[in-house]
Structure formats: structure tokens, C-alpha cells
Amino acid sequence: MTGHVAWWSVQRPSSRSLALDVAFAAVCAYAGFVLATEAVRLVGNTDMLLSARLVAVLHGGSVAWRRVNPWAALIQLLLTAAVFVGVLGLPGHLLGPAVLFVVYGSAATLSRRWALLHLAVVVTGTVVLLRLEPLFPGWPSTVLYLLTITAAWCLGAVVRTLQVLARENGRRAAELEQARLELARSAVAAERLRMARELHDVLAHSMSVIAMQAGGARLAVGTNPDRERAMLAQIEGLTRAALAEMRRLVAILRDQDEEAAVLDPAPSLGRLHELVSRVVDAGLTVDVRTEGPLDDIPPGVSLTAYRVVQEALTNVLRHAAPTTARLAVRARAGLLTVCVEDEGPGGGPRPAERDGSGGPTGHGTVGMRERVALYGGTVTSGPAPVHGWRVEARIPYVEVTR
């Protein structure tokens, strides 16, 4: 398929198209050769037989250039017709079908404006030559001949339109495929980010509690065997729980396309007591207050709130323990509010809250904000009014009908 020419540009059609045009040119040249012989017989002057055949062959040969350069083909077509009629005095309507192939090629190759000009030149030249030839076929035959030429041009214009549509559809298909690939890559990146958040939330909390328990067990070695055994049991339980949670997350990745995959339920606000008991065992005192129908909260929002509490209590363990923390969870009028406030040292940002090159990046806090933002909520964190640190998340939701 070749591109469309605006003016005198020389094209490089494909080998197949060029071979096809050469074959058409050969057919038109042969037809011109035979018809020129008949034209000479009608006029009765056999002395010009060789010249008539040569001009007719050149006339038919113009078809070979119809896609390489439509204007060169048109000039060759008109000049040979003018010689055939004006110089040799032979009837031009016996030159053969070359004109039909040339106007078809111009309509299929040139832009619409130049193709129309091409047709106008051919129609005008045809009328003049037919009127000047010695055996004028009459106006009805002339009109029929012109209509045939116009029909060939219209067929070429239709083909050109189909080619343009095919190229446009191909371009759009390529763009859609590229967009599909981009969406697939974005989905993979989003899934990786979600899994990274889950792993961070699970490991950060569990490892913080394990570290606190291990420190207590170390101090209790040889002095309080019962406390030592209890703390080691807590460490073992937390480690097993963390491993189970990691297996659950890996199973989600591995079996996400398998309907029969059996997965443990994701954490929710209904399991807050398990989370609180773990941090209490690690040495943190937690005052818990809940209000409203927590069971009516959608699972995604409930999981997000659970992770917020987990991250906030983990930060308290890291930076303020041993201390007392207050956890308030309230569901009212389609708004879930989660507030964690501790009585540790207040003041400037804690390490997990800092960003920039001067300290830790606070991936847990960033992930917490991103989780809440997915549901149109907000997270605020900063020094409490008196002392300590305060984290509050506000998440809108639509109540689940049970």
C-alpha cells in the first residue's frame, strides 16, 4: 500500500504493486496495438501503421507510472493521444482502456483535491480529442465514455477511502494495544504496591512486638522463668502468625486466577481485640473505645481501618513505649473515625513521620495515607494537644446491608 501524493512527488510502491501496474500496462499496450491496427484500417492509410502502433503502445504504457507518479502518467497519456489524433489523424476512442487505469490510479493515490484536478484535465482532454478526431462518435457515445472514465475515478476514490480507514484503524488498534499494555503494567504495579503495603503492615507490627518481647525475655533470663517462658511463647505465636499472614498474601498472588483458592479471611475491625492483646503483651497499655455498628462497615474500609490502627500502635511501640495509648473507633452516619493517641513524648516529628534525605522515609505512614485516600478519606498525625502523639483517620463509607 502506498501513501498519498499531494503534487509531483515520486512514490516507491511495493514490488507487488509495481508488478501489477506493469502487467496492466502490458495489457493496455497490447489493446492499443490491436485497436491502432483497426483505426488505420478504418482511415485507409496503411503507411502510418507502424507509427500508429508505436504511439498506441506508448499510450498504454503510461499505466505503468500511474502510482509511481500519476502526473507523469497523465502527461504521457495526453501527449500520445494528441499525437494519435492531431498528428496521425486517427480516431482517439480506439486507443484502448489505458485512460481508465490512469484515472483510477490518480484517485487512489493523490489527495482528493489533486485527484479531482486530474479528473478534470482528463475529461477536458478527452472531449477535445474526441471532437477533433475524424470519426467523431457522437455526443451520446462521448457522454457514455466520460461516464465510464468518471466511474473508474470514483472506484479509485473509494479504494483510497478504504485504505485511509484501514490505516487509521490500524493506528487506533496499535494505540489501543499500547494502552492495554500500559493498563496491564499499571495493574501489576498497583498489585505490587498493595502487596508491599500488606507485607510492611504485617512484618512491621509483628517484628516490633517480637523485639519488645525478646528484650523482656532477655532481662528475665535466670530471674523469672515463668515470665521468660510466657514471652518466648508470645514470640513463637507472633512469628507463626506473621508467617501465616505472609503465606496468605503469597497465596493471593499465586492463586488469584483460581476460583477454588482457599484463603484465610483478611483482618478487619472485628479482630481488633487480637491486635490489641498482642501490643498489650509487649508492654503497652491500651484503652479501647468503640462506638457504632462496626459490623456494617464494608470489608475494604474495615481492613484499611485495621491497618491504620496496626501502624499507629506499632509506631507507639517503637517510639513511645512503655506508655498508655487510647484507641477510639467510631462509626456514625457513613463516616468511620479511627483515633490513636499516646502519652509518650510529644514535640517534633517522630522518625517514622519524617521524609527527605535526613531520616527514614516512613513507608508505613505513607502507605497508611494512600490506603485511606483510596476510599476518599484523610489521615492526620502530629503532636497531641497536651503531650504524646495523635493519629486520626476519617474514612467515609456506605453501610453494608446484612
Side-chain angles (χ1 to χ4, degrees):
M1 187 189 302
T2 59
H4 300 298
V5 182
W7 176 234
W8 189 259
S9 303
V10 177
Q11 293 202 95
R12 293 182 180 179
S14 64
S15 299
R16 181 180 177 182
S17 298
L18 185 59
L20 187 63
D21 287 346
V22 170
F24 285 147
V27 171
C28 292
Y30 176 74
F33 181 89
V34 174
L35 292 173
T37 303
E38 180 65 19
V40 170
R41 187 188 65 80
L42 289 175
V43 173
N45 186 358
T46 58
D47 294 338
M48 64 178 68
L49 179 61
L50 180 61
S51 299
R53 287 175 172 175
L54 177 61
V55 172
V57 168
L58 291 175
H59 182 82
S62 63
V63 175
W65 315 108
R66 64 175 186 157
R67 274 186 278 206
V68 175
N69 194 315
W71 292 101
L74 175 64
I75 291 174
Q76 181 176 339
L77 187 81
L78 293 179
L79 285 178
T80 52
V83 172
F84 195 82
V85 174
V87 177
L88 299 181
L90 298 173
H93 64 278
L94 294 178
L95 274 173
V99 63
L100 302 179
F101 288 93
V102 171
V103 296
Y104 171 90
S106 68
T109 306
L110 295 171
S111 62
R112 184 57 52 87
R113 181 178 60 178
W114 296 117
L116 285 171
L117 178 60
H118 197 283
L119 176 64
V121 172
V122 170
V123 169
T124 301
T126 299
V127 172
V128 171
L129 292 175
L130 290 179
R131 191 67 184 88
L132 293 178
E133 69 176 50
L135 299 177
F136 178 58
W139 285 111
S141 297
T142 300
V143 171
L144 180 62
Y145 193 50
L146 294 178
L147 289 176
T148 305
I149 293 175
T150 304
W153 184 92
C154 291
L155 180 61
V158 170
V159 171
R160 175 186 183 273
T161 301
L162 293 178
Q163 290 176 344
V164 171
L165 290 176
R167 282 196 297 271
E168 182 66 18
N169 289 336
R171 182 184 65 80
R172 290 180 179 178
E175 291 178 352
L176 288 175
E177 179 64 15
Q178 183 65 28
R180 187 189 67 80
L181 293 176
E182 290 294 333
L183 287 175
R185 283 193 288 266
S186 298
V188 171
E191 180 65 11
R192 288 177 177 174
L193 179 59
R194 187 183 70 82
M195 297 306 301
R197 291 172 182 162
E198 290 286 329
L199 288 173
H200 173 273
D201 292 340
V202 171
L203 294 180
H205 172 74
S206 298
M207 292 303 105
S208 296
V209 176
I210 288 172
M212 296 292 293
Q213 296 285 13
R218 178 178 57 82
L219 295 176
V221 170
T223 61
N224 192 338
D226 292 337
R227 185 185 178 198
E228 179 183 349
R229 281 192 296 269
M231 289 184 173
L232 290 176
Q234 284 285 335
I235 292 174
E236 180 185 6
L238 287 171
T239 304
R240 293 182 184 276
L243 288 175
E245 186 72 6
M246 289 180 65
R247 290 192 188 99
R248 185 185 74 84
L249 297 178
V250 172
I252 292 175
L253 288 179
R254 185 180 64 246
D255 302 324
Q256 58 184 347
D257 295 329
E258 300 179 11
E259 294 182 359
V262 178
L263 304 176
D264 293 334
S268 64
L269 292 177
R271 297 174 59 183
L272 272 182
H273 62 283
E274 300 175 11
L275 176 63
V276 172
S277 65
R278 287 199 295 267
V279 297
V280 169
D281 291 338
L284 184 65
T285 302
V286 182
D287 178 17
V288 181
R289 295 184 181 181
T290 61
E291 180 183 344
L294 300 186
D295 292 339
D296 293 342
I297 297 174
V301 176
S302 184
L303 172 61
T304 298
Y306 179 93
R307 294 305 188 195
V308 170
V309 174
Q310 185 179 50
E311 179 65 26
L313 292 179
T314 300
N315 285 336
V316 174
L317 277 175
R318 286 175 178 172
H319 310 298
T323 186
T324 298
R326 290 180 295 276
L327 168 61
V329 181
R330 182 177 64 183
R332 180 185 298 174
L335 179 65
L336 176 64
T337 303
V338 176
C339 181
V340 178
E341 185 176 337
D342 64 74
E343 296 180 356
R350 292 181 177 176
E353 301 290 335
R354 298 199 304 265
D355 54 13
S357 59
T361 56
H363 296 298
T365 302
V366 173
M368 182 169 57
R369 295 181 188 278
E370 291 178 347
R371 281 179 181 275
V372 173
L374 287 176
Y375 294 94
T378 59
V379 176
T380 57
S381 61
V386 180
H387 56 81
W389 199 262
R390 176 188 176 92
V391 175
E392 183 178 30
R394 299 169 63 85
I395 313 172
Y397 69 94
V398 177
E399 293 184 358
V400 177
T401 302
R402 297 183 183 275

